[in-house]
């Protein structure tokens, strides 16, 4: 008998739970499916949110051949074999066959390169699924040929709906007379992952000999604690522990950060994933309070890529302690967010003429670059002039925070700009 998660896999969009921003009425992906004009795309989201299921539903809806490859076990030859089959099967349908690649972020550059021609010529419609940021893991030429759709962790109501559906509709569970007395623990342990939710439900039910089966928070916690696979580097624990790790760094607790680092190391976490998150934390949480943090985090990333496990844990530990013990600032993080909000509200405002580039005679005649003052020609390499569009010229975006490094930066800005940088963030 198939596992519960497989038995409950939806066969149509009507049964599909969650991701209404993608498959709800009027959404971009839903229109593509309904009109049967589907182009290649990447599905990015955490585990157990319906990436594989959505690809299968689309293939069924389009009535086209559906090929699937796992990036873990497939090589370049496997990719070429599938593409050859897709070319031969094209005669049976006006729509290209679908090639679904699970964990596409694990494909090497050469494997991804082998897909480019087939995707560009429309030999196959590529649907890739990834839990990692495609910007880091997928080559730019392939990413530029695909649309990107982001899937979200399932909400509480989505999980409850799936839970009740499984109990009421599954051929085995509906015979068990299951009573859901508590749901907090199972929802918390599932962490927005539908597959994890169903696996936990199946685990608890199979451990019960009594009829009816009464599910309580205590029973769920007991069964999960007994589960030797409590750390699943591809499941919700992956996200919970990296969250605890980053929050320990942000909270300036080296002991807590090292503990969660050790949990990830012992659990077989991808060292590149840990190193990448340390680089992000150095920029987001330490920032200008200690600019050396980003340099050290990036150096640790390089070191881990060169030496691998188990020695890679040492530079990771070094930078973990350094980041946790460093002063903290998110002023750059808040500054770019504030700037993006202004851009979203005001759109593509024109660049002031004096800031424009003037590589041609016509542009110079039109006033491009006129009255621009070259800072290096002036005392202290500074001259006051306008660097924002007219419509937002008084907008403040970056505010120094209260740490020695940024206090020095603020003092310099006040020295150069006067009162403009004296006011505090409202």
């Amino acid at each position: 008998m198939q596992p519960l998660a497989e038995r409950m896999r939806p066969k149509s969009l009507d049964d599909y739970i969650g991701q209404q921003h993608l498959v709800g009425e009027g959404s971009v992906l839903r229109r593509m499916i309904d009109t049967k004009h589907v182009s290649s795309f990447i599905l990015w989201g955490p585990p157990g949110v319906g990436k594989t299921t959505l690809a299968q539903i689309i293939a069924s809806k389009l009535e086209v051949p559906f090929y699937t490859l796992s990036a873990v076990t497939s090589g370049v030859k496997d990719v070429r074999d599938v593409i050859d089959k897709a070319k031969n099967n094209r005669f049976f349908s006006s729509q290209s066959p679908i090639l679904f690649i699970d964990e596409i972020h694990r494909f090497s550059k050469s494997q991804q390169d082998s897909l480019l021609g087939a995707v560009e010529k429309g030999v196959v419609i590529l649907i890739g699924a990834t839990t990692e940021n495609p910007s880091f893991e997928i080559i730019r030429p392939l990413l530029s040929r695909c649309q990107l759709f982001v899937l979200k962790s399932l909400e509480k109501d989505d999980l409850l709906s799936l839970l009740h559906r499984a109990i009421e509709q599954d051929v085995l569970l509906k015979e068990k007379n299951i009573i859901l007395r508590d749901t907090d623990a199972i929802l918390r342990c599932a962490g927005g992952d539908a597959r994890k939710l169903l696996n936990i439900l199946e685990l608890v039910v199979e451990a019960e000999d009594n009829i009816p089966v009464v599910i309580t928070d205590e029973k769920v916690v007991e069964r999960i604690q007994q589960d030797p696979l409590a750390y699943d580097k591809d499941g919700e624990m992956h996200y919970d522990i990296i969250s605890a790790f980053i929050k320990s760094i942000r909270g300036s607790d080296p002991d807590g950060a090292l503990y969660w680092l050790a949990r990830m190391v012992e659990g077989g976490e991808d060292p590149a994933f840990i190193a990448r998150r340390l680089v992000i934390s150095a920029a987001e949480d330490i920032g200008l309070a200690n600019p050396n943090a980003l340099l050290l985090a990036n150096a640790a990333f390089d070191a881990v890529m060169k030496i691998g496990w188990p020695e890679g844990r040492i530079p990771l530990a070094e930078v973990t302690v350094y980041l946790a013990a460093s002063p903290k600032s998110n002023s750059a993080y808040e500054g770019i967010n504030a700037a993006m909000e202004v851009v979203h509200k005001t759109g593509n405002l024109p660049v002031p003429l004096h800031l424009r580039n003037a590589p041609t005679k016509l542009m110079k005649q039109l006033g491009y670059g006129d009255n621009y003052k070259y800072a290096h020609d002036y005392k202290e390499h500074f001259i006051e002039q306008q660097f924002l569009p007219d419509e937002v010229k008084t907008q403040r975006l970056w505010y120094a925070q209260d740490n020695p490094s940024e206090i020095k930066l603020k003092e310099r800005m006040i020295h150069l700009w006067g009162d403009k940088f004296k006011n505090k963030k409202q």
Side-chain angles (χ1 to χ4, degrees), residues 237-397:
M237 191 67 77
H238 163 90
Y239 294 95
D240 287 345
I241 288 187
I242 195 65
S243 175
F245 177 60
I246 295 302
K247 287 174 180 175
S248 298
I249 291 174
R250 186 179 297 141
S252 299
D253 184 355
D255 293 338
L258 282 173
Y259 171 80
W260 295 117
L261 174 62
R263 285 283 298 273
M264 289 187 286
V265 172
E266 286 296 315
E269 184 59 83
D270 180 4
F273 174 76
I274 302 172
R276 187 181 303 124
R277 291 310 302 260
L278 286 169
V279 173
I280 295 169
S281 178
E284 178 180 342
D285 296 316
I286 288 81
L288 293 172
N290 182 5
N292 286 331
L294 184 57
L295 300 177
L296 187 60
N298 200 50
F301 198 150
D302 289 342
V304 169
M305 293 302 99
K306 290 174 182 175
I307 63 179
W309 282 151
E311 290 82 0
R313 75 190 190 284
I314 304 170
L316 289 180
E318 179 183 349
V319 75
T320 293
V321 172
Y322 187 80
L323 297 187
S326 289
K328 304 297 186 292
S329 170
N330 66 344
S331 68
Y333 173 77
E334 289 192 341
I336 186 59
N337 288 346
M340 290 172 66
E341 186 176 348
V342 171
V343 171
H344 290 157
K345 289 180 179 178
T346 58
N348 296 322
L349 297 176
V351 177
L353 283 175
H354 69 284
L355 296 181
R356 297 188 189 186
N357 189 30
T360 68
K361 184 178 180 181
L362 175 60
M363 288 178 174
K364 291 177 181 177
Q365 291 173 346
L366 292 173
Y368 284 31
D370 281 0
N371 301 316
Y372 169 66
K373 299 170 184 176
Y374 186 60
H376 296 296
D377 289 341
Y378 297 86
K379 184 180 178 181
E380 296 186 271
H381 302 268
F382 173 80
I383 181 68
E384 187 170 338
Q385 56 189 319
Q386 180 183 326
F387 291 100
L388 286 168
D390 290 340
E391 294 84 348
V392 293
K393 64 182 180 182
T394 61
Q395 181 78 49
R396 281 292 311 281
L397 299 171

Side-chain angles (χ1 to χ4, degrees), residues 46-48 103 106 131 193 195 231-236 238-239:
E103 298 189 86
R106 294 179 181 267
T131 56
D193 182 330
R195 182 170 51 248
Y231 185 92
D232 176 6
K233 65 180 180 178
D234 296 318
E236 102 288 340
H238 163 90
Y239 294 95

Side-chain angles (χ1 to χ4, degrees), residues 92-110:
F92 300 102
S93 172
S94 58
Q95 185 81 27
S96 302
I98 288 176
L99 171 57
F100 175 71
I101 300 180
D102 196 18
E103 298 189 86
I104 192 171
H105 59 276
R106 294 179 181 267
F107 257 10
S108 66
K109 183 179 183 298
S110 61

